[in-house]
Amino acid sequence: MLADTPAINTNLPTPISTFIGRERALGEIARLLTRERLVTLTGPGGTGKTRLALRVAASELAAFPDGVWLVELAPIATPELVAETIAKVAHVTGDGAAPLLEALAHGLAKMRLLLVLDNCEHLLGECARIVAYLLARCPALAVIATSREPLAIGGERVVRVPPLELPASSEPLDEERLLTFDSIRLFLERAQAAEPSFRFSSVTAPAVVEICRRLDGIPLALELAAMRVRGMGVAYLGARLDDRFRLLTAGAHATEPRQQTLNAAVAWSYDLLSERERVVMRRLGVFAGDFSPEAAEAVCISAGEDTSDATGSVFDILTRLVDKSLVQFDQSTGLYRQLETIRLYCQHQLDAAGEQNHLRRQHFAYYLNLAEDGAALLGGPGQLGWFARLEQEHDNYRAALSWAIAEEHAEDAARLALSLWQFWHARTYQREGMRWLEQALALEPRHPLPPAMRARLLNALGSLANVARRLDRSKAYHEEALRLWTAAGDQAGMAQALCDLGWVFFEEVNIEEAMRYADEGLPLAEVSGDKRLLAHALLLKGLLETQHDFTGSADPAQMRRAAATLERSLAIWRELGDQSSEAATQATLAANYAGLGDDERAKPLLLASARWYVQSGDSGNINGTLVILMNLAGKWAADPQMARDSARIHGAMLSLLGAVTEEPSPWETSEPALAMERRLTKTLGTEGYAQALAEGRHMTRNEVFAVAERITRPANQTIAPATRPTPMVPPTPHASLTRRELDVLRLVSQGMTNAQVGRELVITPRTVNAHLTSIYGKLGVVSRSGAIRYAVDHALG
C-alpha cells in the first residue's frame, strides 16, 4: 500500500465530550469480540449506536495490531462506493489484477484488523454482501456495524442498543439514587456543561426526572434538551416539552414510539429557534458531510433576503446552532456538519417549506462556482491546498453531481465533472471519476453539449480510462475528441488529443505509433501559444526518445536530443509553478541521464521527484517515478540490497496501480520488464524476489521515500549545486498572494463575513469567495480559520 499508516493504526475521532453509562453494553460487546467476528449494534436513531461503537473500538486498539478503522457510510449515496470507501480508509489497495472487492479481501487476509462500519442502514444489501465476502476470506478480520436493522448474514451477533435506563414512576426522588441511572447522569452532565450554575437538588430533581421520562431516555434527545437549560431552566423546559410532544406525535402511528419521541425532540428544539435560525438550520440539511462557513453563507441566503442585521448573519446563526448542539464544528478543520438524524429532519423541513429544489439548485451553483474558481489553481503553487479542500468537501461535490445528473442538467454536470477530474486522477478516484463523466456524457443524446465541451469531456474520460488500463476505451474517447477539435479547427485541442493518444500507445508499449502522434502534436502545440500544452508535448516527446532498458544499448545522439527536449519542458513547468508536472519531467530527465551513463546527475533529480510525490500525496502521477527508481536500482542488480530495493519499489507500484485499475499494464510483460525480473531473480532467488515484492506492496509513503533515498545516494560524491532541484515550496507562501488577495485576507482575519468584505472592497460575495479559494490553495490551508491563523502568525492582519 502506498499510504502512511499513523503511529497508532486508527482514524477514530477524539471524543469531544465524556462518555456516560453503557457499562454493561461495553462489557458485552468486548466479550463478544473475543469470540465473534461480526457484531452489529442496532436501534432507532439517536440511541447512541455510533458513540457506543467508537467507545468499544477505542478500547480494542491493543487487540488489533493492524488497525482499528472507522468507515463513515452516512455520506455515501451509492452502493458502488462502499468497497472503495472501506479500502481507502483501511489503506488497502490491490495488485491491479483482480476486482476491487477481491483485492480488498486479499489485502486484509493476513491482517488482524477491526473495521467499524457506521450507518449501514441506507446501504444494507451492499454492506451485507461485502462484510460476508470479507469475513469468509479474512480470518483475522472483525467488524462492528451500526445500523437501524441487522445485516442478516451468517455469524452475525446483534446487540440492540436501547435508550438509557430510566427511573420507574414509583422510584423515590432521592438524588443519590437517581444518579445511578445513566439517563439522569447524561442529562445532568450536559446541562451543567451548558449552564455551570445549574444544580441538581430536591427542587430540580422532579423536573429532571420528568424530562428524561418524556424523552424516553434517548441520548440525542436528552442532549438537545439539556442545552436548553441555559435559557429556561428545567421547570419551564419540562412544561414546554410536554406540550410539544402532545402536538407533534399526534397521528404518527406508523412510526414506533421511540422514533416519534426523537422526532418530536428535534422538532421541539427546532421550533424553539427564532424564525431566522429555523430557516438557516433547515437549509443546512442540503449539505452532505462537512461544509465551510462560506458555503453555508452562500447556500442558505436566497436572492433578495436582507442580511444587513449582524445577528441574523449566517455566521452568527451557525455559532448559535453549534451552541445548541444542532450543528457540529471541527476545530481542526474549521468545517461544520450536522448529525445525520438532524440532517434528515432538516430535509423533511425543506420539503415541507417547498424549498428542496431551490436549495439543491443553490447548493449545486455554489459548488460549481467553487470548483471552477479552484480549477484556476491547478498546475500552480495553490494546487495542493485546493486538492486538500476538495478532499474535505468531496461528499458535497458528489451530492451536487448526483442532483445535476438526476435533473438531467447535462451541461452543468459536465462543467462540474470537468473541474474535478484532475483531482480524481491525482487522488486515485479514477474509477469513480469515470462513472461521473460517463453519466454526464450519457445525458448528451437528449441534451446536446457544445462541441468544445463534449471534446473536453471526452479528453478527461480518455485520460482517466488510460490510467485505469481501459486502453481501447481511452483511444476511442481521444479519437472522438480529436475529430471534434479538428472539425472546429482548434489547433490546441488537436495537439492535446494527439498527445493523449501518444500516451495511450506508450502504455501499450507501441513506441513507434506513440512517436507518430507525438511528432504530429508537437508542432501544433508550438504554435498554440499554450505553454502548458507545449511543455506536455515536449515531455511526451522526450520520454519516447529516452526509451531504453538501462543496459547501455540506447543511441547516445538520440538520448542527448531527448535531454534537450526534456530540459526545455522542465524550464516551462518551473516557470508556470506546476510542481507535479515538474516532478514527472525531473524523473524522465533522470532516466535520460542514467541512460547516458551519468547516474550521479540523474540521482538528485529522481530524488526530488520522489520527494514531491510522497510529500504531496499525489498518488495518481507517481507511477513513472517509481518505474525509473525500480530501473535505476535494477541497473545494479548484482548488489543484493539494490536488487531488493528494486523489487520493493516494483511491489509498491503494483499496489498503487491496484487502487485504480483491475487490468495489468502491458509493460509488465514487455521484454525490458521480463529482463529486469530475470536479473533480480538471479540475485535474490525466486523466494527472495517474491518476498521483496510483497514487502513493497505494504510499504508506507515514508518507507517508499526511504528506499528512494537509498537508491539515489551519491556514490562518494557531493551533489553539485547546479544539479540541485529547486525548492518545492516557497519559503513564504503568502508571497504568491496578489494585492487584492492580501486585502481580502486582512479583512477576513478581522472577523468580517464575505458579505462585509464585499461591501468594504466593493466586490460581490462570489468574488470574495473566489479570492478565498485562491488564498486557501496558495497558503496550503483548507478553511477560513486556517487562513486566519496563518494571517495572525505572519502579522498580515
Side-chain angles (χ1 to χ4, degrees):
M1 64 188 79
L2 194 64
D4 275 325
T5 303
I8 298 176
N9 291 345
T10 186
N11 65 339
L12 296 177
T14 302
I16 59 174
S17 59
T18 55
F19 185 88
I20 294 175
R22 304 284 195 197
E23 287 84 5
R24 184 181 301 172
L26 287 168
E28 179 187 4
I29 299 167
R31 284 190 296 273
L32 284 174
L33 283 174
T34 64
R35 60 181 187 271
E36 306 290 349
R37 297 173 53 223
L38 171 59
V39 178
T40 301
L41 310 187
T42 66
T47 54
K49 299 184 295 295
T50 296
R51 181 168 285 194
L52 179 58
L54 294 178
R55 180 73 170 189
V56 172
S59 70
E60 295 294 321
L61 284 168
F64 292 91
D66 293 311
V68 176
W69 302 104
L70 170 64
V71 182
E72 294 180 288
L73 297 175
I76 303 302
T78 57
E80 294 85 358
L81 291 175
V82 175
E84 292 184 29
T85 303
I86 294 172
K88 204 166 189 69
V89 169
H91 300 276
V92 173
T93 57
D95 60 8
L100 179 61
L101 186 55
E102 183 180 329
L104 178 58
H106 178 76
L108 296 175
K110 296 183 180 180
M111 293 187 184
R112 181 156 178 73
L113 178 141
L114 174 64
L115 290 178
V116 181
L117 305 185
D118 190 34
N119 288 304
C120 298
E121 51 269 359
H122 63 303
L123 300 164
L124 201 64
E126 183 68 359
C127 288
R129 183 182 75 87
I130 289 173
V131 170
Y133 185 93
L134 293 178
L135 291 177
R137 291 158 178 80
C138 307
L141 172 68
V143 176
I144 298 176
T146 73
S147 176
R148 294 187 184 180
E149 58 183 300
L151 301 186
I153 61 177
E156 181 182 37
R157 289 299 301 267
V158 177
V159 175
R160 302 199 180 277
V161 182
L164 297 174
E165 186 180 6
L166 290 161
S169 57
S170 58
E171 189 77 26
L173 296 179
D174 175 80
E175 292 100 280
E176 186 174 345
R177 167 68 178 158
L178 289 173
L179 287 173
T180 64
F181 292 93
D182 291 341
S183 57
I184 303 293
R185 290 169 55 210
L186 175 64
F187 179 86
L188 292 177
E189 197 275 349
R190 300 297 189 258
Q192 287 166 350
E195 179 50 69
S197 65
F198 172 72
R199 293 291 180 269
F200 186 52
S201 66
S202 59
V203 175
T204 58
V208 169
V209 171
E210 183 66 14
I211 290 168
C212 291
R213 285 175 180 158
R214 292 289 184 182
L215 295 177
D216 219 2
I218 295 176
L220 175 59
L222 294 173
E223 296 202 21
L224 290 172
M227 293 300 297
R228 286 296 176 180
V229 170
R230 179 173 53 216
M232 60 180 66
V234 290
Y236 187 61
L237 176 63
R240 289 291 301 270
L241 188 61
D242 184 41
D243 291 339
R244 188 59 60 188
F245 277 146
R246 283 200 296 267
L247 173 66
L248 292 179
T249 60
H253 302 301
T255 309
E256 69 178 82
R258 283 171 181 157
Q259 189 62 43
Q260 292 179 29
T261 304
L262 177 63
N263 288 338
V266 179
W268 161 80
S269 192
Y270 175 80
D271 283 349
L272 285 178
L273 299 173
S274 70
E275 175 59 28
R276 180 71 176 142
E277 288 171 337
R278 286 198 296 271
V279 169
V280 171
M281 179 179 162
R282 71 170 177 258
R283 291 177 179 177
L284 292 175
V286 78
F287 291 102
D290 295 342
F291 57 89
S292 67
E294 295 92 348
E297 185 179 40
V299 173
C300 294
I301 298 175
S302 296
E305 288 186 336
D306 182 14
T307 60
S308 58
D309 180 6
T311 63
S313 73
V314 173
F315 275 147
D316 186 69
I317 292 170
L318 269 176
T319 302
R320 298 203 294 270
L321 292 176
V322 170
D323 288 342
K324 295 174 172 71
S325 293
L326 294 170
V327 172
Q328 311 298 305
F329 177 66
D330 189 326
Q331 293 283 353
S332 63
T333 65
L335 299 177
Y336 296 83
R337 80 159 45 213
Q338 284 184 325
L339 293 174
E340 188 65 12
T341 301
I342 292 176
R343 189 175 78 88
L344 292 174
Y345 176 85
C346 290
Q347 288 182 346
H348 290 310
Q349 292 302 310
L350 277 179
D351 284 333
E355 294 182 325
Q356 186 78 252
N357 289 337
H358 172 65
L359 264 292
R360 292 285 176 199
R361 189 179 300 278
Q362 289 207 158
H363 176 272
F364 177 85
Y366 173 80
Y367 282 100
L368 173 62
N369 291 334
L370 182 65
E372 291 186 331
D373 290 339
L377 299 172
L378 298 177
Q383 178 172 294
L384 282 184
W386 171 237
F387 280 178
R389 187 174 185 192
L390 283 176
E391 192 77 65
Q392 291 275 3
E393 299 192 71
H394 197 188
D395 289 327
N396 279 301
Y397 289 100
R398 288 165 167 160
L401 276 168
S402 293
W403 175 84
I405 289 167
E407 296 294 316
E408 297 201 358
H409 297 314
E411 189 167 338
D412 285 340
R415 285 172 60 191
L416 182 53
L418 285 170
S419 297
L420 297 175
W421 80 266
Q422 293 184 64
F423 161 74
W424 290 327
H425 171 59
R427 294 301 176 96
T428 65
Y429 291 106
Q430 285 91 341
R431 285 182 290 199
E432 180 182 346
M434 285 184 67
R435 287 197 296 270
W436 289 120
L437 290 161
E438 285 167 345
Q439 289 180 59
L441 193 63
L443 299 174
E444 215 254 352
R446 296 185 299 280
H447 307 281
L449 297 171
M453 180 175 288
R454 176 177 168 79
R456 290 177 59 217
L457 198 66
L458 290 162
N459 167 68
L461 262 169
S463 298
L464 293 181
N466 186 5
V467 177
R469 298 291 181 269
R470 298 173 185 178
L471 301 181
D472 288 342
R473 289 169 66 181
S474 179
K475 275 190 281 190
Y477 287 135
H478 286 313
E479 285 167 353
E480 176 62 10
L482 177 59
R483 186 189 68 77
L484 290 170
W485 272 319
T486 302
D490 185 332
Q491 290 186 318
M494 292 164 62
Q496 182 71 62
L498 289 164
C499 289
D500 287 335
L501 281 164
W503 284 106
V504 179
F505 283 105
F506 172 76
E507 292 297 338
E508 288 187 332
V509 201
N510 189 340
I511 305 302
E512 184 177 346
E513 192 68 6
M515 186 67 80
R516 184 173 73 82
Y517 280 100
D519 287 339
E520 193 175 344
L522 181 55
L524 292 173
E526 290 273 15
V527 300
S528 70
D530 186 331
K531 289 184 177 180
R532 191 174 306 280
L533 178 58
L534 175 57
H536 177 74
L538 290 167
L539 172 56
L540 174 62
K541 177 72 172 177
L543 172 66
L544 296 173
E545 289 181 331
T546 293
Q547 280 311 298
H548 63 92
D549 62 3
F550 282 77
T551 61
S553 60
D555 175 3
Q558 176 178 299
M559 295 290 284
R560 283 192 288 272
R561 288 195 302 272
T565 300
L566 291 167
E567 285 165 352
R568 185 181 172 202
S569 175
L570 185 60
I572 297 173
W573 294 130
R574 284 175 172 167
E575 178 188 348
L576 295 172
D578 188 334
Q579 294 165 303
S580 180
S581 297
E582 177 183 343
T585 310
Q586 284 176 318
T588 309
L589 187 56
N592 180 280
Y593 290 155
L596 288 167
D598 194 349
D599 293 345
E600 298 311 307
R601 193 176 182 191
K603 288 176 181 178
L605 287 169
L606 189 53
L607 183 62
S609 176
R611 181 185 293 113
W612 162 258
Y613 286 126
V614 167
Q615 291 181 351
S616 69
D618 186 348
S619 299
N621 294 298
I622 194 175
N623 185 54
T625 298
L626 295 180
V627 169
I628 295 161
L629 276 168
M630 176 185 71
N631 286 338
L632 185 59
K635 186 177 179 181
W636 304 300
D639 179 341
Q641 179 65 67
M642 281 297 171
R644 278 192 296 272
D645 283 344
S646 180
R648 286 170 180 153
I649 292 291
H650 190 192
M653 183 180 65
L654 292 176
S655 175
L656 177 64
L657 290 174
V660 299
T661 180
E662 296 167 5
E663 300 294 330
S665 168
W667 281 97
E668 287 295 310
T669 56
S670 68
E671 180 50 37
L674 294 175
M676 174 70 71
E677 184 176 338
R678 288 192 295 270
R679 292 199 299 274
L680 298 179
T681 303
K682 182 179 179 180
T683 300
L684 300 175
T686 303
E687 275 192 31
Y689 175 72
Q691 181 181 347
L693 203 66
E695 290 170 0
R697 291 181 190 275
H698 297 284
M699 286 197 302
T700 65
R701 283 201 302 250
N702 287 339
E703 288 168 342
V704 168
F705 186 65
V707 174
E709 285 187 306
R710 191 159 54 238
I711 292 171
T712 58
R713 184 179 297 136
N716 302 320
Q717 293 182 23
T718 301
I719 303 174
T723 66
R724 290 185 182 274
T726 56
M728 292 190 301
V729 181
T732 53
H734 60 268
S736 61
L737 297 181
T738 66
R739 179 172 297 180
R740 177 47 61 92
E741 288 169 348
L742 284 168
D743 288 340
V744 169
L745 180 59
R746 175 176 54 82
L747 295 175
V748 165
S749 69
Q750 294 171 9
M752 288 190 181
T753 67
N754 284 12
Q756 291 167 333
V757 173
R759 286 194 291 272
E760 179 75 16
L761 299 179
V762 196
I763 55 179
T764 67
R766 183 191 167 184
T767 301
V768 174
N769 195 55
H771 285 311
L772 283 172
T773 299
S774 180
I775 290 167
Y776 296 163
K778 291 178 180 179
L779 298 185
V781 301
V782 298
S783 66
R784 194 184 201 93
S785 59
I788 292 171
R789 283 195 299 270
Y790 184 98
V792 171
D793 290 345
H794 293 81
L796 299 178

